[in-house]
Amino acid sequence: MELNKDDLELIKIATKVVSDNCDIYTNKGLHVGCAVRASSGKIYKGINIKTSHSICAEQVAVGQAFACGEREIDCLVSVKMNEDGTTRVVSPCGLCRYTFEKLELDCNIIVEDVETGKILKVNTNTLLPYPYKREAIEKTKK
């Protein structure tokens, strides 16, 4: 899908979140920012928290949206701060993709096609095409 002006604004917000909070020169690991646009139009932000059980920026932002009563997410983008101070859109990790599936989020995610370098918008269903479903396994056992 093509990006629209609201998507470009979401990228700017995620870039500002990581730029304002990045700490790449220490072991705090704050180097990914995320912006989530709920279906209501409100924007929620998150930054990754690096610990022995790290929390992704996407999980922080979605959690913030949920804590504010949102249940439908329209679009999400994550931006990483590189060591040289540049930023780039990144795709959610596997754990985040699984989290989106378990929360039954049917939303758009702005990602970078690493082969072409193009920024595009895809649906969550394309990020995790073959999700683990315990119910499906239970049905095959019967």
Side-chain angles (χ1 to χ4, degrees):
M1 287 181 257
E2 293 295 319
L3 301 179
N4 60 39
K5 68 177 181 70
D6 291 338
D7 299 332
L8 297 174
E9 182 63 24
L10 202 62
I11 294 170
K12 285 182 185 177
I13 292 168
T15 301
K16 183 165 175 32
V17 168
V18 73
S19 295
D20 289 351
N21 294 287
C22 185
D23 199 355
I24 59 176
Y25 302 108
T26 70
N27 64 357
K28 293 180 184 168
L30 304 173
H31 62 276
V32 177
C34 179
V36 169
R37 183 176 57 242
S39 295
S40 68
K42 291 182 182 175
I43 306 293
Y44 299 91
K45 300 176 265 188
I47 192 84
N48 73 307
I49 302 168
K50 188 175 180 183
T51 65
S52 59
H53 300 285
S54 294
I55 304 168
C56 297
E58 298 90 339
Q59 294 169 353
V60 172
V62 169
Q64 182 186 33
F66 274 45
C68 292
E70 304 283 1
R71 293 299 180 266
E72 293 186 23
I73 304 300
D74 176 54
C75 193
L76 178 149
V77 65
S78 299
V79 173
K80 180 180 189 261
M81 177 70 74
N82 298 314
E83 288 186 20
D84 65 2
T86 60
T87 58
R88 68 185 182 93
V89 170
V90 292
S91 295
C93 72
L95 181 58
C96 287
R97 293 170 192 223
Y98 182 71
T99 300
F100 302 156
E101 193 272 326
K102 294 310 283 180
L103 292 173
E104 298 178 354
L105 293 184
D106 182 13
C107 64
N108 293 312
I109 310 287
I110 299 171
V111 298
E112 176 191 30
D113 180 334
V114 292
E115 292 181 12
T116 66
K118 184 176 180 178
I119 305 300
L120 40 110
K121 185 167 53 173
V122 299
N123 187 274
T124 49
N125 297 330
T126 62
L127 289 176
L128 192 63
Y130 306 105
Y132 173 77
K133 299 266 188 189
R134 185 165 213 64
E135 305 82 41
I137 294 171
E138 298 296 327
K139 288 178 185 175
T140 60
K141 288 182 179 179
K142 293 180 180 179

